[in-house]
Amino acid sequence: MKTNALLLSLILSLSCGKAFASTADAENFLKKSVGEVVEVAKNAPDAPALASAVRPILLKTISFDAMTRRAVGPGWRQFTDAEQKDAIGFFTTLIIRTYSAKFTPGELPDVVYKAATETAPGRVEVATTTLYKGSRYEVIYRLEQPDGKGWRVTDVVIEGVSMIANYRGQLDAQFKSGGAGAVLGSLQKSINSSK
Amino acid sequence: MLFLGVIVSVLAPEAFAESSRIYSYTTQGAVPVDLNKGRLPKNSYETYYLESAIPQSSRPVATPKPKATPKPKATPKPKATPKPKPEPTPKATPTPKPAAITVSKKSSPAPVAKPPKSSPKPAAPPVDDLDEYGDTVKIADPIQPVNRGMFWLNHQLYTYIARPVSKVYRTILPKPVRTAVHNVYDNAEYPVRVVNHLLQGKPGRADLETRKFLLNSTAGVGGIFKPSDRFPSLAEVPSADTGQTFAKWGIGHGAYVVLPVIGPRSVRDTVGLAGDVALNPLTWVPFGGVAQAISIPLSTPNTVRNVDSRLNAYDAATENAVDPYISLRGSYIQYREKAASK
């Protein structure tokens, strides 16, 4: 009985320890990435310069592959390899623009990190309160380990509005109206017409 | 299921007898039940199964028809003497029993061939990774063509009227002054929040809201400054409005509508807006005569600062969108869902 209890406590402590390490790793990864973005935003002269400067940081921080697949939804399976590649490329540009548009060069957010939570194995949510331009926003970052190794951001939820859920509604409608071609066309059009 | 069976057997006994044969398990295996005018035997404590719930191997080879068939010409067949079959073991027949009709759970003798009660259900399909966000944004939009028209009209209003007004507002008033204007009007809307906190059954939040109001009205010089932001408990009190209160009461969104100038709303939040207007002290000043002279300068800065903040939200939702209409609708619904869940 005593041995069983010891074994159980050992298993529990190991599993909890592992979960804690996961959430802590994810949180540290996010803090580092957000810190790099803020540093770039501080020095960028204007919005286009900011967008191009944050691109390399976001490419190593965000899983654009997972984001694009989920934004398109089950229709993704009907995309050819070439169409998938194009879609990921277009969506990456769009997401980087959307994210960098939240920042005004020279204005720095004050980010307070709350406790990270493991929502499922390999999935962590980091909630933050961000004070920016005099307003307080609740921003949640969703992170995963897509390849089982490093952490990547797979969604950003600002005041309850999920970036991916929002694109999902739009791209789903496009897919239903004209399949992969309509999705790619609409992404391309959006990139061309965006400021 | 029993309820359904009883209803069907009462309303259409013939149909019941014709379409579904009923079995019970005995030591001889599954045996058809002799239905009396489509009804199960009275005062029976046996457990009965629809034919579809009986494994094929357990069914008698020649299924005799029930005695009470509606067809008078049918030759009455001898009463159920099914061919004895080898007793199926539960292991060999892991059939689920979805269609069991249990008359009573009182000590029925455990039949040998009864399928296991806790037979394993087929595993639920795993959640499709690609469909994770499938149900995030759902609202009925039955008048979408009208809404899209109104969305276009609002876009023109925002572009040609609101945006220039906002630009002038931002040019004339430096940021600290704009913040002060925002703070004063936000503080004045205290009754909207406190009443709705109470209506939502949250007296603790109403208490914090009152403390915040008193602190900002006194130390914050009539709400110009926001000393409450220095206290996390006061800074993070969630806002409350009548639409949220309706949501807390279990009232759904209803349809999605785009209102002129105001923009996206659900029917629920449109009704809630009327409650917010009624609770807002800025609307208590009566119009007409001398009062109007007070009312207009009182409400104009509030209107302008509302336009300014509305434009920010509009731009955030529609810039870089594939379909700005759907993007704004999705953002609005997600935002309101979150607000209601706080």
Side-chain angles (χ1 to χ4, degrees):
Chain A
M1 187 66 189
K2 204 174 178 180
T3 316
N4 285 346
L6 270 172
L7 194 63
L8 183 67
S9 63
L10 183 66
I11 290 167
L12 279 173
S13 63
L14 280 174
S15 58
C16 291
K18 196 180 171 192
F20 179 75
S22 301
T23 53
D25 287 350
E27 194 175 334
N28 289 336
F29 169 77
L30 181 71
K31 280 180 181 172
K32 186 171 169 282
S33 303
V34 172
E36 286 177 34
V37 171
V38 169
E39 196 60 34
V40 166
K42 192 161 67 177
N43 301 320
D46 53 33
L50 173 65
S52 60
V54 296
R55 190 178 175 92
I57 302 168
L58 296 183
L59 282 175
K60 65 179 183 182
T61 305
I62 296 174
S63 172
F64 290 106
D65 180 41
M67 275 190 168
T68 314
R69 284 190 291 111
R70 289 174 190 165
V72 173
W76 183 251
R77 294 192 187 93
Q78 294 176 38
F79 280 51
T80 63
D81 288 349
E83 286 170 339
Q84 289 186 351
K85 199 179 165 190
D86 284 348
I88 292 171
F90 293 151
F91 200 64
T92 301
T93 303
L94 212 52
I95 288 289
I96 290 175
R97 277 195 197 173
T98 307
Y99 186 75
S100 55
K102 311 282 179 205
F103 293 94
T104 304
E107 295 220 43
L108 303 179
D110 184 10
V111 185
V112 178
Y113 292 87
K114 295 180 180 175
T117 51
E118 189 177 30
T119 52
R123 290 185 173 204
V124 168
E125 279 190 6
V126 183
T128 68
T129 303
T130 303
L131 191 65
Y132 192 54
K133 297 183 187 175
S135 298
R136 193 179 294 273
Y137 302 96
E138 191 179 288
V139 182
I140 297 171
Y141 294 88
R142 291 183 177 150
L143 294 100
E144 288 175 36
Q145 293 173 298
D147 50 3
K149 294 175 187 172
W151 287 100
R152 291 286 181 276
V153 174
T154 54
D155 195 7
V156 182
V157 185
I158 302 170
E159 286 293 307
V161 181
S162 152
M163 200 183 263
I164 300 306
N166 219 23
Y167 275 112
R168 171 69 201 279
Q170 301 170 62
L171 296 180
D172 197 42
Q174 294 294 332
F175 184 80
K176 281 173 183 163
S177 71
V183 172
L184 292 172
S186 64
L187 285 170
Q188 178 85 70
K189 191 180 164 193
S190 181
I191 288 168
N192 293 339
S193 64
S194 295
K195 290 170 191 175
Chain B
M1 198 67 206
L2 169 64
F3 184 63
L4 182 66
V6 168
I7 289 173
V8 174
S9 64
V10 168
L11 295 179
E14 294 83 6
F16 188 73
E18 277 292 299
S19 61
S20 307
R21 295 198 179 95
I22 307 297
Y23 288 78
S24 70
Y25 276 96
T26 69
T27 51
Q28 293 178 332
V31 175
V33 176
D34 191 7
L35 295 178
N36 180 20
K37 292 181 182 174
R39 292 171 190 272
L40 292 167
K42 283 183 180 175
N43 304 320
S44 169
Y45 298 132
E46 188 56 82
T47 301
Y48 299 99
Y49 298 88
L50 287 175
E51 187 178 27
S52 57
I54 306 293
Q56 198 72 39
S57 59
S58 302
R59 292 179 197 165
V61 176
T63 313
K65 282 192 173 182
K67 206 176 176 182
T69 53
K71 294 175 183 174
K73 286 180 183 176
T75 315
K77 292 193 176 181
K79 205 175 175 183
T81 50
K83 192 177 176 181
K85 296 217 82 165
E87 292 175 356
T89 58
K91 200 178 173 184
T93 57
T95 316
K97 52 167 235 183
I101 303 173
T102 307
V103 173
S104 168
K105 287 189 177 178
K106 276 185 188 175
S107 62
S108 60
V112 178
K114 202 169 180 176
K117 280 195 173 179
S118 58
S119 54
K121 287 182 179 176
V127 176
D128 188 349
D129 173 52
L130 292 174
D131 209 17
E132 272 196 39
Y133 290 90
D135 287 330
T136 311
V137 184
K138 290 279 178 197
I139 186 165
D141 192 357
I143 53 164
Q144 193 175 136
V146 177
N147 284 339
R148 278 192 184 266
M150 196 55 72
F151 174 81
W152 179 87
L153 187 70
N154 282 346
H155 184 77
Q156 309 310 313
L157 287 172
Y158 295 160
T159 305
Y160 297 109
I161 298 174
R163 216 172 284 283
V165 168
S166 171
K167 203 171 178 182
V168 170
Y169 176 67
R170 284 170 176 269
T171 309
I172 293 173
L173 299 179
K175 197 182 168 190
V177 178
R178 294 200 308 267
T179 305
V181 170
H182 172 83
N183 289 347
V184 167
Y185 284 103
D186 190 54
N187 194 49
E189 287 170 4
Y190 155 79
V192 178
R193 294 187 294 270
V194 77
V195 168
N196 280 298
H197 281 312
L198 290 171
L199 289 173
Q200 290 172 27
K202 289 171 180 163
R205 284 189 186 172
D207 175 47
L208 287 173
E209 196 67 63
T210 304
R211 288 164 192 249
K212 189 176 164 181
F213 173 73
L214 292 174
L215 182 65
N216 290 340
S217 302
T218 52
V221 194
I224 292 173
F225 304 104
K226 236 178 167 179
S228 62
D229 275 352
R230 292 179 192 170
F231 303 93
S233 62
L234 298 181
E236 295 184 4
V237 181
S239 191
D241 58 45
T242 315
Q244 281 177 36
T245 302
F246 289 155
K248 291 279 178 195
W249 290 352
I251 299 170
H253 271 296
Y256 177 73
V257 287
V258 180
L259 301 178
V261 185
I262 292 169
R265 293 269 156 176
S266 64
V267 170
R268 180 190 71 197
D269 290 345
T270 306
V271 177
L273 181 66
D276 295 342
V277 169
L279 288 167
N280 190 341
L282 295 172
T283 63
W284 297 347
V285 179
F287 282 87
V290 180
Q292 193 168 12
I294 303 166
S295 172
I296 290 172
L298 198 65
S299 60
T300 303
N302 190 37
T303 307
V304 176
R305 69 118 193 171
N306 270 333
V307 164
D308 196 52
S309 63
R310 234 176 254 283
L311 275 177
N312 284 337
Y314 179 78
D315 288 345
T318 56
E319 273 179 2
N320 297 308
V322 170
D323 182 337
Y325 172 81
I326 295 180
S327 181
L328 186 63
R329 185 182 68 188
S331 298
Y332 175 77
I333 295 306
Q334 287 189 74
Y335 175 75
R336 292 299 294 169
E337 292 289 341
K338 174 74 178 175
S341 71
K342 280 184 181 172

